[in-house]
Amino acid sequence: MQILGISSRINHPEFGKGVVTNVTSKHYWVTFIESGLETIDINSEFDIIEAAEDDVDTVSFAEVESSLVQILKRWSDASEVVHIADKWKGGKLILEPGDSNLKSSEVPIDTFFHKITMVRDRLRVMEQKINSSNLEEQEKIDLQQYITRSYGSLTSFNVLFKLKEQQFVGQRSK
């Protein structure tokens, strides 16, 4: 089966004459004179008016982008965008010492939240590295339990997260 390149011209029995504008592993995107843009299966029945001789990449940009995002999430310490809950935006964290003679300290809550999410991201990377390591199974389990307990220790900060699915989750009771 010949794979057509972008700019190939075809005549489809249902849609008429058109030009291939994109190629994926399973479909042609064809702009037809009469019906506009349609997606048709690569195996569809149609007549080739003129085949473009371009090298054809049978993977679309969207498929490449999706694959790359999945790889980066799994194997890098690139973090997802995590938003602080609206009520905390622009706020500050005030630390008051027990001794009234000492000065209190203020930290922008956005800065504090960023540091909390970085701890979370680094724990996730550590978890992935443990899972893919050559450690014995029992050692992996032991280290995973420490990480789970660390997440549990950080659940107090869940109030800062805008989205519940991005919050810390510790050990769940069974």
Side-chain angles (χ1 to χ4, degrees):
M1 173 178 75
Q2 175 186 5
I3 302 289
L4 297 175
I6 293 172
S7 79
S8 294
R9 296 185 312 144
I10 67 168
N11 188 12
H12 191 274
E14 181 182 347
F15 302 115
K17 293 180 180 176
V19 176
V20 175
T21 55
N22 193 11
V23 181
T24 69
S25 59
K26 297 179 183 171
H27 300 99
Y28 290 123
W29 292 14
V30 183
T31 302
F32 291 99
I33 294 170
E34 298 294 322
S35 59
L37 183 64
E38 298 286 344
T39 304
I40 62 172
D41 290 339
I42 282 185
N43 316 4
S44 295
E45 292 294 323
F46 53 81
D47 295 322
I48 299 171
I49 298 171
E50 182 181 342
E53 296 298 323
D54 297 343
D55 288 335
V56 176
D57 181 2
T58 58
V59 179
S60 72
F61 176 75
E63 291 171 314
V64 171
E65 182 181 34
S66 174
S67 296
L68 184 58
V69 166
Q70 289 175 345
I71 290 166
L72 287 173
K73 279 183 179 177
R74 182 162 187 197
W75 297 107
S76 79
D77 58 357
S79 58
E80 65 183 313
V81 176
V82 180
H83 296 286
I84 192 167
D86 292 337
K87 69 180 180 180
W88 300 111
K89 287 182 181 173
K92 58 186 168 190
L93 185 64
I94 302 170
L95 302 170
E96 295 280 343
D99 184 345
S100 60
N101 295 324
L102 299 173
K103 186 179 171 188
S104 64
S105 179
E106 292 183 6
V107 177
I109 205 153
D110 294 320
T111 302
F112 179 75
F113 181 70
H114 175 72
K115 292 187 182 295
I116 292 293
T117 57
M118 292 305 293
V119 167
R120 185 192 68 163
D121 291 342
R122 298 228 164 81
L123 282 170
R124 286 180 176 173
V125 170
M126 188 185 314
E127 201 168 16
Q128 291 166 356
K129 289 189 184 278
I130 289 168
N131 287 337
S132 63
S133 74
N134 295 329
L135 293 171
E136 296 290 323
E137 245 356 87
Q138 188 57 50
E139 290 174 308
K140 287 182 183 182
I141 291 169
D142 292 344
L143 290 171
Q144 285 288 354
Q145 287 177 347
Y146 282 113
I147 290 173
T148 300
R149 287 188 217 123
S150 296
Y151 283 136
S153 298
L154 295 166
T155 57
S156 300
F157 302 113
N158 283 347
V159 69
L160 299 173
F161 288 84
K162 184 172 189 168
L163 301 175
K164 186 170 180 63
E165 60 268 13
Q166 293 178 328
Q167 294 179 349
F168 292 103
V169 177
Q171 194 167 5
R172 294 191 167 120
S173 57
K174 295 175 181 160

